[in-house]
Amino acid sequence: MPYSAFGSNLAARCALACLLLAPLLPARAELMLHPTRIVFDKNTRATQIELINNGNIPASYRISLVNRRMTETGQFEAAETAQDGERFADEMLRYSPRQITLQPGTAQTVRVMLRKPAELAEGEYRSHLQFDKLPDVEGSASIERRGADATQIGVVLNALVGASVPVIVRHGALDTRVKLAGLALGTIDARHAQLALQFEREGNGSVYGDVSVTFTPNNGKPHSLARVGGIAVYTPNRIRTTTLPLQVPEGLALAAGTLEVSYRDRPEGGGKLLAQSSLNLP
């Protein structure tokens, strides 16, 4: 059989299988968290996080504290031991409960407590509160489930997903600065472009804020091209690189003007300008 014909038949069979299995796919459990990060600052010793099951089936989660390290591209990886300038908070934190079951549409509060040891060195400490989804009772014994008419067998895919939030402990005087560098514009098509940039952090604390990108033609009015919320640079990282997608209004050419990038503290933190940079486009 020619390759093209084989590929066509295979695609058709896969599409048919998906249609047959669609009624057999399990209901979903979706976890929502509020807030999405916890910060212990000054005299704060206790706080809480709310978990909400936004799905339509019960879901159970095991809660744990883990240590993670951010890479220069913003990804997280497991951290077994602390690097230079890196401080973990797990030994200072307590939380309750350790495991929960949420019915659809219900919420559960997890309380997090901080106990600082004596003679704690100044600086920022961070660990992550991890919520791992446990296997559902239904379907956990077998990956197969028969259809309603008992003539079909479908595969039940139980994706075990979870979530985590950073828990940050700030102790003593913190001096943190950040600047934006390395701005470079790349064009995808007439309506889409991308902006590469680099966050350069200094000091003994992390930064966390929102990025906005505007373009102002020479002698023209500014146009908003992007708004991205919740970008962090955690200690001990000095650099974080990222690429932001830009939405270019119809009829606007990214030329003969200025591209400006602003990095601001989140609105709940006061919205203070943390860093700003611009790129002149010929």
Side-chain angles (χ1 to χ4, degrees), residues 73-101:
T73 58
Q75 304 299 315
F76 282 103
E77 59 186 19
E80 299 297 332
T81 58
Q83 295 180 345
D84 291 342
E86 188 173 39
R87 296 181 172 98
F88 298 142
D90 54 330
E91 294 185 357
M92 295 183 280
L93 299 171
R94 301 292 182 270
Y95 58 94
S96 179
R98 299 298 181 98
Q99 184 171 316
I100 61 171
T101 297

Side-chain angles (χ1 to χ4, degrees), residues 77 87 93 106 119 138 143-144 164 182 196 198-199 210 241 246 254 273:
E77 59 186 19
R87 296 181 172 98
L93 299 171
T106 64
E119 307 301 327
E138 180 183 2
I143 64 170
E144 293 183 344
S164 67
Q198 181 170 289
F199 299 80
D210 301 339
T241 61
L246 306 180
L254 296 183
L273 181 64

Side-chain angles (χ1 to χ4, degrees), residues 27 68 76-77 79 121 124 147 163-164 166 204 209 227 235 240 259 263 269:
R68 289 180 173 169
F76 282 103
E77 59 186 19
E124 183 174 282
S164 67
N204 60 349
R227 293 184 181 274
T235 57
R240 176 174 174 180
L259 201 65
Y263 184 44

Side-chain angles (χ1 to χ4, degrees), residues 6-282:
F6 173 80
S8 176
N9 290 338
L10 178 61
R13 290 198 297 269
C14 289
L16 178 60
C18 290
L19 291 174
L20 292 174
L21 293 178
L24 304 176
L25 294 178
R28 297 180 61 187
E30 299 176 357
L31 179 65
M32 297 180 62
L33 303 171
H34 180 77
T36 55
R37 68 198 305 261
I38 295 174
V39 178
F40 286 96
D41 201 355
K42 298 180 181 179
N43 296 321
T44 306
R45 291 294 181 270
T47 188
Q48 62 188 36
I49 181 170
E50 187 173 33
L51 286 69
I52 305 170
N53 182 356
N54 201 36
N56 51 14
I57 61 171
S60 297
Y61 295 88
R62 179 178 295 118
I63 307 171
S64 61
L65 277 168
V66 298
N67 294 321
R68 289 180 173 169
R69 181 174 299 121
M70 175 180 277
T71 68
E72 288 190 356
T73 58
Q75 304 299 315
F76 282 103
E77 59 186 19
E80 299 297 332
T81 58
Q83 295 180 345
D84 291 342
E86 188 173 39
R87 296 181 172 98
F88 298 142
D90 54 330
E91 294 185 357
M92 295 183 280
L93 299 171
R94 301 292 182 270
Y95 58 94
S96 179
R98 299 298 181 98
Q99 184 171 316
I100 61 171
T101 297
L102 294 171
Q103 297 299 319
T106 64
Q108 169 78 48
T109 295
V110 175
R111 187 169 175 81
V112 185
M113 289 76 68
L114 169 66
R115 181 177 297 176
K116 292 182 180 180
E119 307 301 327
L120 182 66
E122 288 188 345
E124 183 174 282
Y125 300 75
R126 174 176 51 85
S127 292
H128 291 248
L129 199 60
Q130 174 80 18
F131 303 91
D132 289 310
K133 188 176 184 298
L134 300 178
D136 298 328
V137 174
E138 180 183 2
S140 61
S142 172
I143 64 170
E144 293 183 344
R145 181 167 65 186
R146 293 190 177 276
D149 60 0
T151 62
Q152 299 173 337
I153 294 180
V155 177
V156 178
L157 303 178
N158 287 321
L160 301 182
V161 295
S164 67
V165 298
V167 184
I168 298 170
V169 178
R170 292 172 176 160
H171 180 68
L174 269 67
D175 179 23
T176 307
R177 301 167 302 281
V178 63
K179 65 179 182 179
L180 304 176
L183 273 63
L185 180 66
T187 301
I188 300 176
D189 54 42
R191 294 290 303 278
H192 300 86
Q194 58 186 15
L195 179 67
L197 71 154
Q198 181 170 289
F199 299 80
E200 298 180 356
R201 185 197 62 83
E202 296 181 359
N204 60 349
S206 63
V207 290
Y208 181 70
D210 301 339
V211 172
S212 62
V213 182
T214 60
F215 174 71
T216 305
N218 296 337
N219 302 319
K221 296 181 180 180
H223 298 267
S224 176
L225 303 184
R227 293 184 181 274
V228 181
I231 295 183
V233 186
Y234 289 122
T235 57
N237 296 54
R238 299 295 182 186
I239 292 174
R240 176 174 174 180
T241 61
T242 190
T243 301
L244 304 178
L246 306 180
Q247 294 289 333
V248 183
E250 186 174 0
L252 178 67
L254 296 183
T258 302
L259 201 65
E260 187 171 89
V261 184
S262 297
Y263 184 44
R264 292 183 176 274
D265 198 358
R266 305 222 71 188
E268 59 269 24
K272 175 184 175 182
L273 181 64
L274 301 174
Q276 196 169 42
S277 186
S278 61
L279 177 65
N280 293 323
L281 302 179

